[in-house]
Amino acid sequence: ARGLPAEARPQCGAMPAGGGLQEPLLPRPAKAGGRPAQAQSIVATAAAFACFVAVRSVHPIVIDISKTDGTLPYGKATPCVVNSAVDIALGNGIALLVGGLKGLRQCWDPKPLKVFSAIAILYAFGDFLEMQSMSVMGGAAYQILLQSKLLVTALIIWGLRGQRQSALQWNVLLTIAMGMSAFVLVDEGARGASGGGGFKPLGLLFVIAKVFFSCLCAVLTEKYLKAYKDMPIYAQVAQLKFSWFWVSLALTLTFDRGVVEQGFWTGWGAPPGGGAARW
């Protein structure tokens, strides 16, 4: 290199023009607090999942408790209507408190509102069918039939997304569904069949339709909640509940003659109020 002209000598630290290193030789240090943040996210997800499982588990129990002589004394879908109205008020109230008028406008953004309203219509039909099925069968029978949700959801994901389950995953889904059904059957047999807890073909039709609507909504909701992930969750819920409220109210006034003739709040007391709170 000493015999070469100065401009031709390799310079210390210089890199060739076309093939230099694109990455540093040493790895960049990890950002402080990355793992704790990830751990917090996992804990929050696990807590939300546990809360969801607990709420869904007591669902048939609350509806069964609210029965009088095996029938629902109130309008079957009225708890759904009340719940939707409360959720709309809470979502808009939180948006106003957290983000002011800008946050409130998010709850009424027309683009995502159209998407969530379409999904909410299906949700409202699913809720209506659920209350109809619970009015003609007991909670145990309902829970047994509801175990098909796992398999139906997997089939819908396969059809809409092309995401297939492996043989092991199908075995796990079938085992869980059969295990839960066996558990409910044993528990019901130990307590003895009670009036209104039996199996009825009409209830079967309602549950099958409910399962399809519920699974389809779950897949669509997951897709669009992630598509509009920049929106706060309370704004998304407020948008979902908007058309949910109106469709539930329309179904109640159309198919529940008792509500039309005797009034919306007929038969309401502590058990129906608990049902609305659960919703």
Side-chain angles (χ1 to χ4, degrees):
R2 291 182 180 178
L4 295 174
E7 61 275 8
R9 297 176 187 173
Q11 302 296 318
C12 181
M15 293 188 298
L21 293 174
Q22 301 299 320
E23 298 291 338
L25 295 177
L26 296 176
R28 294 187 178 92
K31 293 183 179 180
R35 289 194 174 183
Q38 184 179 8
Q40 290 178 1
S41 176
I42 294 175
V43 171
T45 302
F49 178 76
C51 180
F52 173 79
V53 171
V55 169
R56 294 301 302 179
S57 298
V58 301
H59 177 189
I61 299 174
V62 173
I63 299 176
D64 267 346
I65 291 173
S66 66
K67 289 182 179 179
T68 302
D69 298 328
T71 59
L72 297 173
Y74 52 90
K76 300 177 184 66
T78 51
C80 309
V81 178
V82 174
N83 167 255
S84 297
V86 171
D87 283 346
I88 293 171
L90 285 176
N92 282 270
I94 295 173
L96 182 61
L97 290 174
V98 174
L101 292 177
K102 181 180 179 181
L104 185 61
R105 281 194 291 268
Q106 281 188 303
C107 296
W108 302 99
D109 185 353
K111 185 176 179 181
L113 182 60
K114 294 177 183 178
V115 175
F116 289 126
S117 294
I119 298 174
I121 292 173
L122 299 178
Y123 266 124
F125 274 95
D127 284 349
F128 182 78
L129 291 168
E130 182 174 29
M131 296 301 293
Q132 293 292 329
S133 64
M134 286 296 295
S135 69
V136 296
M137 65 170 54
Y142 176 78
Q143 284 283 41
I144 293 170
L145 296 172
L146 207 62
Q147 303 313 312
S148 60
K149 288 177 69 173
L150 296 171
L151 303 176
V152 175
T153 302
L155 290 172
I156 291 177
I157 290 176
W158 186 2
L160 294 182
R161 296 185 182 178
Q163 180 180 344
R164 300 185 179 185
Q165 308 295 319
S166 65
L168 177 60
Q169 289 172 323
W170 281 115
N171 286 330
V172 171
L173 290 174
L174 286 169
T175 301
I176 292 174
M178 294 174 65
M180 285 295 299
S181 300
F183 174 80
V184 176
L185 281 171
V186 170
D187 182 64
E188 181 69 5
R191 289 183 298 161
S194 59
F199 174 84
K200 295 184 179 180
L202 181 61
L204 172 63
L205 296 177
F206 286 147
V207 175
I208 291 175
K210 154 66 181 175
V211 167
F212 175 76
F213 279 118
S214 179
C215 296
L216 178 61
C217 289
V219 175
L220 293 175
T221 301
E222 180 200 10
K223 175 181 178 180
Y224 289 105
L225 285 179
K226 292 178 179 178
Y228 294 100
K229 60 184 178 181
D230 294 335
M231 288 181 63
I233 185 64
Y234 46 81
Q236 293 175 333
V237 171
Q239 291 202 344
L240 268 172
K241 291 293 184 173
F242 176 69
S243 62
W244 200 327
F245 167 79
W246 292 109
V247 175
S248 296
L249 182 60
L251 289 171
T252 300
L253 296 177
T254 302
F255 295 101
D256 201 325
R257 186 174 300 175
V259 172
V260 177
E261 295 177 352
Q262 302 175 20
F264 184 88
W265 302 105
T266 300
W268 268 69
R278 206 292 308 163
W279 283 104

Short mmCIF file of all heavy atoms in Angstrom, two decimals, residues 181-209:
data_model
loop_
_atom_site.label_atom_id
_atom_site.label_comp_id
_atom_site.label_asym_id
_atom_site.label_seq_id
_atom_site.Cartn_x
_atom_site.Cartn_y
_atom_site.Cartn_z
N SER A 181 -69.53 -31.09 26.81
CA SER A 181 -70.87 -31.66 26.72
C SER A 181 -71.06 -32.77 27.75
O SER A 181 -72.10 -32.86 28.40
CB SER A 181 -71.12 -32.19 25.31
OG SER A 181 -71.01 -31.16 24.35
N ALA A 182 -70.04 -33.62 27.90
CA ALA A 182 -70.13 -34.71 28.87
C ALA A 182 -70.24 -34.16 30.29
O ALA A 182 -71.01 -34.65 31.11
CB ALA A 182 -68.90 -35.62 28.75
N PHE A 183 -69.46 -33.09 30.58
CA PHE A 183 -69.51 -32.49 31.91
C PHE A 183 -70.91 -31.95 32.22
O PHE A 183 -71.46 -32.17 33.30
CB PHE A 183 -68.48 -31.37 32.00
CG PHE A 183 -68.55 -30.57 33.28
CD1 PHE A 183 -67.98 -31.04 34.43
CD2 PHE A 183 -69.21 -29.36 33.31
CE1 PHE A 183 -68.05 -30.31 35.61
CE2 PHE A 183 -69.30 -28.61 34.47
CZ PHE A 183 -68.71 -29.10 35.63
N VAL A 184 -71.50 -31.25 31.26
CA VAL A 184 -72.83 -30.68 31.47
C VAL A 184 -73.87 -31.78 31.62
O VAL A 184 -74.78 -31.70 32.45
CB VAL A 184 -73.20 -29.74 30.31
CG1 VAL A 184 -74.62 -29.21 30.47
CG2 VAL A 184 -72.22 -28.56 30.26
N LEU A 185 -73.75 -32.87 30.83
CA LEU A 185 -74.70 -33.97 30.93
C LEU A 185 -74.64 -34.65 32.28
O LEU A 185 -75.67 -34.95 32.89
CB LEU A 185 -74.41 -34.99 29.82
CG LEU A 185 -74.92 -34.64 28.41
CD1 LEU A 185 -74.37 -35.63 27.40
CD2 LEU A 185 -76.44 -34.63 28.38
N VAL A 186 -73.42 -34.87 32.79
CA VAL A 186 -73.27 -35.50 34.10
C VAL A 186 -73.83 -34.61 35.19
O VAL A 186 -74.53 -35.06 36.11
CB VAL A 186 -71.78 -35.83 34.36
CG1 VAL A 186 -71.58 -36.27 35.81
CG2 VAL A 186 -71.30 -36.92 33.41
N ASP A 187 -73.53 -33.31 35.09
CA ASP A 187 -74.01 -32.37 36.10
C ASP A 187 -75.53 -32.29 36.10
O ASP A 187 -76.18 -32.28 37.14
CB ASP A 187 -73.42 -30.99 35.84
CG ASP A 187 -73.84 -29.97 36.88
OD1 ASP A 187 -73.49 -30.15 38.06
OD2 ASP A 187 -74.54 -29.01 36.52
N GLU A 188 -76.12 -32.28 34.90
CA GLU A 188 -77.58 -32.22 34.80
C GLU A 188 -78.22 -33.51 35.32
O GLU A 188 -79.26 -33.49 35.97
CB GLU A 188 -77.99 -31.98 33.34
CG GLU A 188 -79.48 -31.86 33.10
CD GLU A 188 -80.08 -30.59 33.68
OE1 GLU A 188 -79.32 -29.75 34.20
OE2 GLU A 188 -81.32 -30.46 33.62
N GLY A 189 -77.57 -34.64 35.03
CA GLY A 189 -78.10 -35.91 35.51
C GLY A 189 -78.06 -36.01 37.03
O GLY A 189 -78.95 -36.58 37.65
N ALA A 190 -77.01 -35.44 37.63
CA ALA A 190 -76.89 -35.47 39.08
C ALA A 190 -77.96 -34.62 39.74
O ALA A 190 -78.48 -34.95 40.80
CB ALA A 190 -75.50 -35.00 39.50
N ARG A 191 -78.30 -33.51 39.15
CA ARG A 191 -79.31 -32.62 39.74
C ARG A 191 -80.72 -33.07 39.41
O ARG A 191 -81.67 -32.73 40.10
CB ARG A 191 -79.11 -31.18 39.22
CG ARG A 191 -77.87 -30.51 39.78
CD ARG A 191 -77.79 -29.08 39.29
NE ARG A 191 -77.70 -29.01 37.84
CZ ARG A 191 -77.99 -27.92 37.13
NH1 ARG A 191 -78.45 -26.84 37.75
NH2 ARG A 191 -77.85 -27.91 35.83
N GLY A 192 -80.85 -33.81 38.32
CA GLY A 192 -82.19 -34.25 37.91
C GLY A 192 -82.80 -33.25 36.97
O GLY A 192 -82.62 -32.05 37.09
N ALA A 193 -83.53 -33.76 36.00
CA ALA A 193 -84.17 -32.87 35.02
C ALA A 193 -85.29 -32.10 35.69
O ALA A 193 -86.07 -32.63 36.47
CB ALA A 193 -84.71 -33.69 33.84
N SER A 194 -85.37 -30.83 35.38
CA SER A 194 -86.41 -29.97 35.96
C SER A 194 -87.32 -29.48 34.86
O SER A 194 -86.98 -29.54 33.68
CB SER A 194 -85.78 -28.77 36.69
OG SER A 194 -84.99 -28.03 35.81
N GLY A 195 -88.47 -28.94 35.22
CA GLY A 195 -89.40 -28.40 34.23
C GLY A 195 -88.76 -27.28 33.45
O GLY A 195 -88.14 -26.40 34.03
N GLY A 196 -88.90 -27.30 32.13
CA GLY A 196 -88.33 -26.25 31.29
C GLY A 196 -86.88 -26.48 30.98
O GLY A 196 -86.26 -25.67 30.32
N GLY A 197 -86.29 -27.57 31.50
CA GLY A 197 -84.88 -27.82 31.25
C GLY A 197 -84.64 -28.87 30.20
O GLY A 197 -83.53 -29.29 29.97
N GLY A 198 -85.72 -29.39 29.63
CA GLY A 198 -85.59 -30.46 28.68
C GLY A 198 -85.20 -29.96 27.30
O GLY A 198 -85.05 -28.78 27.05
N PHE A 199 -85.12 -30.95 26.40
CA PHE A 199 -84.74 -30.65 25.02
C PHE A 199 -86.00 -30.48 24.18
O PHE A 199 -86.93 -31.26 24.25
CB PHE A 199 -83.89 -31.80 24.48
CG PHE A 199 -83.56 -31.65 23.03
CD1 PHE A 199 -82.49 -30.88 22.64
CD2 PHE A 199 -84.33 -32.28 22.08
CE1 PHE A 199 -82.20 -30.74 21.29
CE2 PHE A 199 -84.03 -32.15 20.74
CZ PHE A 199 -82.96 -31.39 20.35
N LYS A 200 -86.01 -29.44 23.36
CA LYS A 200 -87.13 -29.20 22.48
C LYS A 200 -86.61 -28.92 21.07
O LYS A 200 -85.64 -28.17 20.91
CB LYS A 200 -87.98 -28.03 22.98
CG LYS A 200 -88.65 -28.30 24.33
CD LYS A 200 -89.54 -27.15 24.74
CE LYS A 200 -90.21 -27.44 26.07
NZ LYS A 200 -91.10 -26.34 26.51
N PRO A 201 -87.22 -29.52 20.05
CA PRO A 201 -86.73 -29.32 18.67
C PRO A 201 -86.69 -27.85 18.26
O PRO A 201 -85.78 -27.42 17.56
CB PRO A 201 -87.74 -30.12 17.84
CG PRO A 201 -88.29 -31.14 18.77
CD PRO A 201 -88.32 -30.49 20.12
N LEU A 202 -87.69 -27.06 18.68
CA LEU A 202 -87.70 -25.64 18.32
C LEU A 202 -86.48 -24.94 18.90
O LEU A 202 -85.86 -24.09 18.24
CB LEU A 202 -88.98 -24.99 18.83
CG LEU A 202 -89.16 -23.50 18.50
CD1 LEU A 202 -89.19 -23.28 16.99
CD2 LEU A 202 -90.43 -22.95 19.15
N GLY A 203 -86.14 -25.30 20.14
CA GLY A 203 -84.95 -24.72 20.75
C GLY A 203 -83.69 -25.09 19.99
O GLY A 203 -82.76 -24.29 19.88
N LEU A 204 -83.66 -26.32 19.46
CA LEU A 204 -82.50 -26.75 18.67
C LEU A 204 -82.32 -25.86 17.45
O LEU A 204 -81.20 -25.44 17.14
CB LEU A 204 -82.69 -28.21 18.24
CG LEU A 204 -81.66 -28.76 17.25
CD1 LEU A 204 -80.27 -28.75 17.86
CD2 LEU A 204 -82.05 -30.17 16.80
N LEU A 205 -83.39 -25.55 16.75
CA LEU A 205 -83.29 -24.69 15.58
C LEU A 205 -82.78 -23.30 15.96
O LEU A 205 -81.94 -22.72 15.26
CB LEU A 205 -84.66 -24.58 14.90
CG LEU A 205 -85.23 -25.88 14.31
CD1 LEU A 205 -86.62 -25.63 13.75
CD2 LEU A 205 -84.30 -26.43 13.23
N PHE A 206 -83.28 -22.77 17.07
CA PHE A 206 -82.84 -21.46 17.53
C PHE A 206 -81.34 -21.47 17.86
O PHE A 206 -80.61 -20.54 17.53
CB PHE A 206 -83.63 -21.03 18.77
CG PHE A 206 -85.04 -20.61 18.46
CD1 PHE A 206 -86.07 -20.84 19.37
CD2 PHE A 206 -85.36 -19.99 17.27
CE1 PHE A 206 -87.37 -20.43 19.10
CE2 PHE A 206 -86.66 -19.59 16.98
CZ PHE A 206 -87.67 -19.82 17.90
N VAL A 207 -80.89 -22.53 18.55
CA VAL A 207 -79.48 -22.59 18.95
C VAL A 207 -78.57 -22.73 17.74
O VAL A 207 -77.50 -22.10 17.67
CB VAL A 207 -79.25 -23.75 19.94
CG1 VAL A 207 -77.77 -23.89 20.26
CG2 VAL A 207 -80.02 -23.51 21.23
N ILE A 208 -78.97 -23.56 16.77
CA ILE A 208 -78.15 -23.72 15.56
C ILE A 208 -77.99 -22.38 14.85
O ILE A 208 -76.88 -22.01 14.43
CB ILE A 208 -78.77 -24.77 14.62
CG1 ILE A 208 -78.67 -26.16 15.25
CG2 ILE A 208 -78.09 -24.75 13.26
CD1 ILE A 208 -79.38 -27.25 14.45
N ALA A 209 -79.09 -21.65 14.70
CA ALA A 209 -79.01 -20.34 14.07
C ALA A 209 -78.18 -19.38 14.90
O ALA A 209 -77.36 -18.61 14.37
CB ALA A 209 -80.41 -19.77 13.86
#
